Amino acid sequence: TQYSFKEVFGTLVVQKELFDVVAKPLVEDLIRGKNGLLFTYGVTGSGKTHTMTGSPGDGGLLPRCLDMIFNSIGPFQAKRFVFKLDDKNGVDVQCEVDALLERQKRDAMPVPKTPSGKRQIDPEFADMINVQEHCKVEEVDEDNVYSVFVSYIEIYNNYIYDLLEEAPFDPIKPKWNNCNTPVRNGDFIPPQSKILREDQNHNMYVTGCTEVEVKSTEEAFEVFWRGQKKRRIANTQLNRESSRSHSVFIIKLAQAPLDADGDNVLQEKEQITLSQLSLVDLAGSERTNRTKAEGNRLREAGNINQSLMTLRTCIEVLRENQMYGTNKMVPYRDSKLTHLFKNYFDGEGKVRMIVCVNPKAEDYEESLQVMRFAEMTQEVEVARPVDRPLCGLTPGRRFRNQAFREELSRKLEMRGGPINGETEEQSVSEMFLQNFPPLPSCELLDVNDDQTLPKLIEVLEKRHKVRQMLSGEFAKNVLTFKTMLQEFDSSVVSKENYIQGKLSEKEKTISGQKTELDRLEKKIKTLEYKIDILEKTATIYEEDKRNLQQELESKSQKLQRQASDKRRLEARLQGMVAETTMKWEKECERRVAAKQLEMQNKLWVKDEKLKQLKAIVTEPKNEKPERPSRERDREKPVQRSVSPPPVPNAPPVRLRHRRSRSAGERWVDHKPLSNLPTETVMQPHVPHAITVAAASEKALAKCDKYMLTHQELASDGEIETKLIKGDVFKTRGGGQAVQFTEIETLKQESPTGRKRRSSPSNPDPPKDAADSEWTDVETRCSVAVEMRAGSALGPGYQHHAQPK
């Protein structure tokens, strides 16, 4: 979260830097006759009182303001009681004699005297007002005299109390405390609350408030420290010395011009200027769930928060009235704090606010509220008061009078005679008498002297004539001068009338321009309000546009990802389809080849059977084979490995192996250890073969063909042997691969287990029937026939016919 302010100070800022930026312009305006208001605002424990008062060795804003005021007006201060404040927030001026009588009267009273600047400074606050930087205001009006008055009040539970009030003890009427018992002599009696009133200039003031005239920084700060000890503070969970009230230290500066001679104050009340600087230390806003306040502390916290909320409401209404041109009523009277400074918010002075922020994490929420309110107050603009007109006297009269007095005293020291004015008058009379004829000697030495008196009479007559002539010339000059003065007066009057006419025209023009300016300012405010609304609307639309663009980009990226995933999936599916198609094509080709081979084998078997049948049919019957009896068959065990000879007298069959059709090639004869020996007459035999129990790459590397002997149990309970053959190929990786090409099946059957054609119900069949049955074509064809050499099916292939 960001907030904007005119000035931001860090944690290491010194008091002088803060004073130069914030409070120094207010002091300059105070001396120029303008009002000022300075707030310190923040949460509890954020350093408001420290900013205003300071610490030992480093004075705060208040002592620095006092020091700057007295450094600026020190040589031009009026004597005590020349200015006298009345009870209606006004000021009167007295002559030097009345002021002297007032001072003597006050000195004779038994009341506590005003602190004197010659007294020793209290060491408790001596370091706070020992400001090394002698700051002063430039261009102070030297033809004015000044007086400073201070007062100190606090607003506690929405009541105003005077912190400088001395409650006198009345021995006749005892005071009562909260326990309904009389207080002892010397007990503190709580002061009475004060009332706010409005003066004739519509400025708010506190009636009956003690206002002390001070003549130095030490004297003013001693008055402040005396009231500071009475301020209400308490120990809370957040601050050991938490301010429980809003304190207001008011500095009033009265100034009036000197008379034309530069000696005394001009005795005109209209020429007196009274300016005011209010230094306010607000109590901190706090939450009761954090301070754990109860009882009086809880009530105090509620009143503090209520007054601060009223201040915030007034600022918000002022801001709304100025920005939007509305005319809402500002609720100043809801709180004594806002009611007291009503004239400041209405434009009768400059307002400054110092926001104190504590960087603790626990104060984060309260600090945000404080900074949000402080940022909003910057948008409130108040009208500035118009400067007072000049008194019309000649500037610099104080120093001219002072220089005249110095020169007069210097001449008196040098001459030791009459004053300079009489000397000048005598010299002028002497110069005037020098124009008359000189008087002759007037001594009468003889009674008969008749020359001295006639000469004296003659001279006196000449002097009389000269005097008459000079009188006539003087009368003519006077008449001429009067005429000139009348002409000059008439010209001045005419010029004055002309200037007055021009001034009235200019004033009308200025009033018309002011009206036009007011209208244009209202129009500007309306347009600014509309521009603000349009900017906010544009901001909202831009935000929506950005959100929609982001959403569109996310959707397009999602669609692109889906399209790419779809393309990858399609490519993968196409690869899988192609792979599966190729696999099934190969499988179909393999199955078709196997089926063709099987059908060829079946066709060959049928051809062989037909050939054998044809040979049997065409063979002459010389002898009948002896058929063994049924009893002998029962007694004699059946040997499965030897087939019964078709002819009884035939020579014994020699055990031989059939030749392979690929005798020139090398074979790998793979016979697992789990295979059982069949002990049949016809056994598969492969010459030049490498017999192994498990297939190995070494054996496959030496051969071109591969044959696997596989045994399984057939459906009739007999062992069925399959010979699986294939070709050996070398792979690209250097290994060996086998491609199977054909499968041969070997079966063995016992002839004794065959079903006879004769009916079992006939126990004694005729001999011819037995012979005919033995020599029957089907029976003979069911006997195993060895495959002849040169067969196309490969080595060791044996066929068996199934009996019907």
Side-chain angles (χ1 to χ4, degrees):
T1 306
Q2 295 183 354
Y3 299 98
S4 300
F5 300 97
K6 293 181 180 179
E7 291 288 342
V8 178
F9 302 95
T11 56
L12 302 179
V13 65
V14 295
Q15 294 278 10
K16 182 181 184 305
E17 181 180 355
L18 184 64
F19 170 77
D20 290 341
V21 176
V22 180
K24 186 176 180 180
L26 297 178
V27 178
E28 293 175 350
D29 290 344
L30 176 70
I31 295 178
R32 293 188 178 97
K34 300 178 183 179
N35 298 332
L37 174 63
L38 179 60
F39 281 110
T40 55
Y41 182 72
V43 300
T44 298
S46 58
K48 300 182 296 299
T49 304
H50 172 75
T51 303
M52 188 63 69
T53 308
S55 57
D58 190 13
L61 298 180
L62 191 147
R64 290 179 183 273
C65 289
L66 293 173
D67 186 69
M68 183 175 178
I69 291 171
F70 287 106
N71 288 339
S72 302
I73 67 171
F76 315 120
Q77 289 192 73
K79 294 183 179 180
R80 202 180 296 271
F81 302 118
V82 170
F83 291 98
K84 185 177 180 181
L85 298 179
D86 56 16
D87 295 335
K88 297 181 180 180
N89 201 29
V91 61
D92 295 326
V93 62
Q94 301 183 120
C95 62
E96 294 288 343
V97 177
D98 295 336
L100 179 60
L101 294 175
E102 185 78 16
R103 288 196 296 272
Q104 293 176 355
K105 181 180 178 182
R106 293 293 180 96
D107 293 339
M109 291 177 64
V111 296
K113 297 181 181 180
T114 306
S116 174
K118 297 181 181 179
R119 292 173 55 187
Q120 186 176 3
I121 304 174
D122 190 351
E124 188 176 3
F125 59 86
D127 293 336
M128 293 186 182
I129 60 176
N130 187 15
V131 182
Q132 300 296 331
E133 303 85 5
H134 294 283
C135 185
K136 61 184 296 185
V137 178
E138 301 295 336
E139 300 180 359
V140 179
D141 192 353
E142 301 165 348
D143 295 322
N144 288 356
V145 290
Y146 303 88
S147 287
V148 179
F149 300 87
V150 296
S151 58
Y152 198 16
I153 63 173
E154 72 170 351
I155 302 175
Y156 175 73
N157 287 338
N158 208 24
Y159 289 98
I160 300 176
Y161 296 97
D162 184 8
L163 295 178
L164 303 180
E165 182 180 15
E166 297 291 343
F169 177 73
D170 189 358
I172 300 176
K173 184 179 179 182
K175 305 296 181 180
W176 298 81
N177 56 18
N178 295 332
C179 300
N180 294 325
T181 57
V183 297
R184 298 186 303 274
N185 188 10
D187 286 351
F188 175 73
I189 301 172
Q192 297 296 320
S193 62
K194 304 298 180 182
I195 302 174
L196 279 178
R197 295 192 185 277
E198 188 174 5
D199 62 7
Q200 59 181 359
N201 297 322
H202 305 288
N203 296 326
M204 305 305 300
Y205 69 98
V206 181
T207 57
C209 179
T210 304
E211 293 176 316
V212 182
E213 185 177 5
V214 291
K215 295 299 179 182
S216 65
T217 305
E218 295 80 7
E219 186 179 349
F221 200 80
E222 185 177 353
V223 173
F224 165 76
W225 199 254
R226 190 176 69 203
Q228 185 74 0
K229 293 180 179 179
K230 298 180 183 180
R231 189 182 176 188
R232 290 171 172 84
I233 60 175
N235 185 8
T236 64
Q237 294 288 336
L238 302 180
N239 193 357
R240 186 169 57 88
E241 294 182 355
S242 176
S243 302
R244 312 310 297 168
S245 63
H246 309 299
S247 67
V248 184
F249 188 74
I250 302 174
I251 305 173
K252 287 185 179 181
L253 180 65
Q255 53 183 313
L258 295 172
D259 56 8
D261 296 333
D263 291 332
N264 300 317
V265 183
L266 192 64
Q267 300 292 316
E268 295 181 8
K269 189 173 182 180
E270 293 78 11
Q271 295 296 331
I272 301 175
T273 302
L274 184 63
S275 54
Q276 176 176 313
L277 175 61
S278 301
L279 304 177
V280 184
D281 181 14
L282 294 176
S285 60
E286 58 187 31
R287 292 184 178 179
T288 55
N289 57 354
R290 293 186 57 204
T291 58
K292 309 299 182 185
E294 296 179 354
N296 291 333
R297 300 288 87 81
L298 181 61
R299 181 189 174 198
E300 293 167 356
N303 288 315
I304 291 171
N305 294 335
Q306 181 63 33
S307 61
L308 294 177
M309 183 61 66
T310 305
L311 175 63
R312 181 170 183 171
T313 304
C314 293
I315 296 294
E316 289 178 350
V317 174
L318 284 173
R319 173 175 171 269
E320 185 178 355
N321 289 341
Q322 292 179 3
M323 290 186 63
Y324 306 139
T326 58
N327 193 18
K328 290 185 178 180
M329 186 184 70
V330 183
Y332 293 121
R333 295 180 178 269
D334 291 353
S335 172
K336 293 294 177 60
L337 177 66
T338 55
H339 196 197
L340 177 61
F341 301 114
K342 168 183 174 295
N343 54 305
Y344 287 97
F345 297 124
D346 287 341
E348 291 296 330
K350 185 181 293 184
V351 182
R352 291 286 178 89
M353 178 182 292
I354 300 176
V355 181
C356 301
V357 179
N358 195 335
K360 290 198 305 183
E362 294 82 1
D363 296 339
Y364 177 73
E365 295 295 334
E366 289 90 339
S367 299
L368 284 182
Q369 296 292 333
V370 167
M371 288 189 289
R372 187 178 296 114
F373 167 67
E375 185 184 35
M376 180 192 63
T377 58
Q378 298 180 109
E379 302 177 3
V380 179
E381 298 179 358
V382 294
R384 295 288 175 252
V386 182
D387 294 338
R388 292 179 59 89
L390 297 176
C391 62
L393 298 176
T394 305
R397 52 193 180 277
R398 178 196 290 269
F399 285 103
R400 282 201 307 273
N401 187 21
Q402 185 177 357
F404 173 74
R405 289 177 181 275
E406 292 177 356
E407 183 67 19
L408 179 61
S409 62
R410 186 179 64 81
K411 287 185 177 182
L412 287 175
E413 289 178 359
M414 291 175 61
R415 297 179 60 179
I419 61 173
N420 194 20
E422 295 179 358
T423 305
E424 290 178 356
E425 290 179 358
Q426 289 179 0
S427 61
V428 170
S429 60
E430 290 176 358
M431 290 175 64
F432 181 74
L433 291 175
Q434 287 178 1
N435 295 325
F436 293 99
L439 292 175
S441 177
C442 298
E443 294 181 359
L444 294 176
L445 300 177
D446 189 5
V447 177
N448 298 319
D449 189 2
D450 55 354
Q451 294 181 358
T452 303
L453 290 176
K455 288 181 181 179
L456 181 62
I457 293 170
E458 183 181 359
V459 171
L460 289 175
E461 287 177 353
K462 289 182 180 179
R463 286 198 172 196
H464 181 67
K465 290 180 181 179
V466 172
R467 183 177 179 183
Q468 287 179 350
M469 182 180 64
L470 291 176
S471 298
E473 290 180 358
F474 181 74
K476 290 180 182 179
N477 292 332
V478 168
L479 183 60
T480 305
F481 186 71
K482 282 184 179 180
T483 305
M484 291 175 62
L485 282 179
Q486 289 176 358
E487 292 176 356
F488 180 75
D489 192 12
S490 62
S491 64
V492 167
V493 170
S494 62
K495 289 182 180 180
E496 185 177 359
N497 294 332
Y498 176 76
I499 291 172
Q500 288 292 338
K502 289 291 185 181
L503 284 177
S504 61
E505 293 178 0
K506 294 294 183 182
E507 287 178 355
K508 291 180 181 178
T509 306
I510 290 172
S511 62
Q513 290 179 353
K514 284 184 178 180
T515 307
E516 184 67 17
L517 283 176
D518 294 338
R519 186 185 65 82
L520 292 177
E521 285 179 356
K522 290 182 179 179
K523 187 175 180 180
I524 288 171
K525 289 181 180 179
T526 306
L527 293 176
E528 287 178 351
Y529 174 63
K530 291 182 179 179
I531 289 172
D532 191 12
I533 293 176
L534 291 176
E535 287 179 352
K536 290 181 180 179
T537 308
T539 305
I540 294 172
Y541 285 159
E542 287 177 358
E543 186 69 23
D544 294 341
K545 181 181 177 181
R546 283 197 299 270
N547 294 334
L548 292 175
Q549 285 180 351
Q550 292 177 359
E551 186 177 358
L552 181 61
E553 289 176 358
S554 62
K555 291 289 182 66
S556 61
Q557 291 176 1
K558 185 176 180 181
L559 288 175
Q560 290 178 0
R561 288 196 300 269
Q562 290 180 355
S564 61
D565 293 343
K566 184 178 179 181
R567 286 195 295 271
R568 285 198 300 270
L569 185 60
E570 288 178 354
R572 184 177 177 185
L573 290 176
Q574 287 178 359
M576 292 175 64
V577 168
E579 184 180 357
T580 307
T581 304
M582 188 180 298
K583 180 178 178 182
W584 279 106
E585 285 179 354
K586 291 181 180 179
E587 181 69 19
C588 291
E589 290 176 358
R590 187 186 64 78
R591 289 185 181 182
V592 168
K595 201 68 175 177
Q596 288 178 355
L597 184 60
E598 182 181 357
M599 297 305 293
Q600 288 178 2
N601 290 337
K602 288 183 179 181
L603 186 59
W604 183 83
V605 170
K606 287 183 180 181
D607 290 342
E608 289 295 325
K609 283 185 179 182
L610 289 175
K611 288 179 182 179
Q612 291 177 8
L613 181 60
K614 185 176 180 182
I616 292 172
V617 171
T618 57
E619 182 182 356
K621 296 182 181 180
N622 294 329
E623 293 181 358
K624 295 182 180 179
E626 182 180 1
R627 185 170 183 82
S629 63
R630 189 173 296 178
E631 290 80 5
R632 202 171 6 180
D633 291 339
R634 293 173 182 169
E635 293 175 1
K636 186 177 179 180
V638 180
Q639 296 183 359
R640 301 178 61 182
S641 60
V642 182
S643 300
V647 181
N649 296 327
V653 179
R654 183 174 61 88
L655 185 64
R656 60 179 181 174
H657 299 276
R658 37 179 297 216
R659 287 176 52 194
S660 173
R661 64 175 179 174
S662 55
E665 299 174 347
R666 298 208 59 181
W667 288 76
V668 176
D669 189 4
H670 183 190
K671 292 184 178 180
L673 298 177
S674 60
N675 290 352
L676 299 175
T678 56
E679 298 180 358
T680 56
V681 176
M682 301 178 67
Q683 293 288 333
H685 173 68
V686 182
H688 307 292
I690 299 175
T691 305
V692 294
S696 63
E697 185 178 356
K698 184 176 180 181
L700 291 173
K702 297 178 181 179
C703 300
D704 301 327
K705 299 289 183 179
Y706 173 81
M707 183 178 69
L708 172 63
T709 304
H710 174 66
Q711 290 183 348
E712 62 182 8
L713 193 62
S715 60
D716 55 357
E718 299 293 339
I719 295 177
E720 182 180 75
T721 303
K722 291 185 178 181
L723 303 178
I724 305 172
K725 301 177 183 180
D727 299 330
V728 179
F729 296 98
K730 290 185 178 180
T731 61
R732 291 183 180 180
Q736 305 294 328
V738 178
Q739 182 177 4
F740 295 101
T741 56
E742 57 182 343
I743 300 175
E744 293 184 9
T745 304
L746 305 181
K747 291 184 180 180
Q748 63 180 5
E749 294 180 358
S750 177
T752 58
R754 301 289 180 197
K755 248 178 115 175
R756 298 182 182 271
R757 272 199 178 269
S758 60
S759 175
S761 61
N762 190 4
D764 296 326
K767 188 176 182 180
D768 297 338
D771 294 339
S772 63
E773 185 177 340
W774 174 251
T775 58
D776 188 26
V777 177
E778 279 186 58
T779 305
R780 294 185 65 185
C781 289
S782 64
V783 180
V785 179
E786 181 184 2
M787 186 179 68
R788 290 177 174 81
S791 174
L793 296 180
Y797 199 92
Q798 184 177 359
H799 302 276
H800 299 274
Q802 297 292 335
K804 293 184 179 179

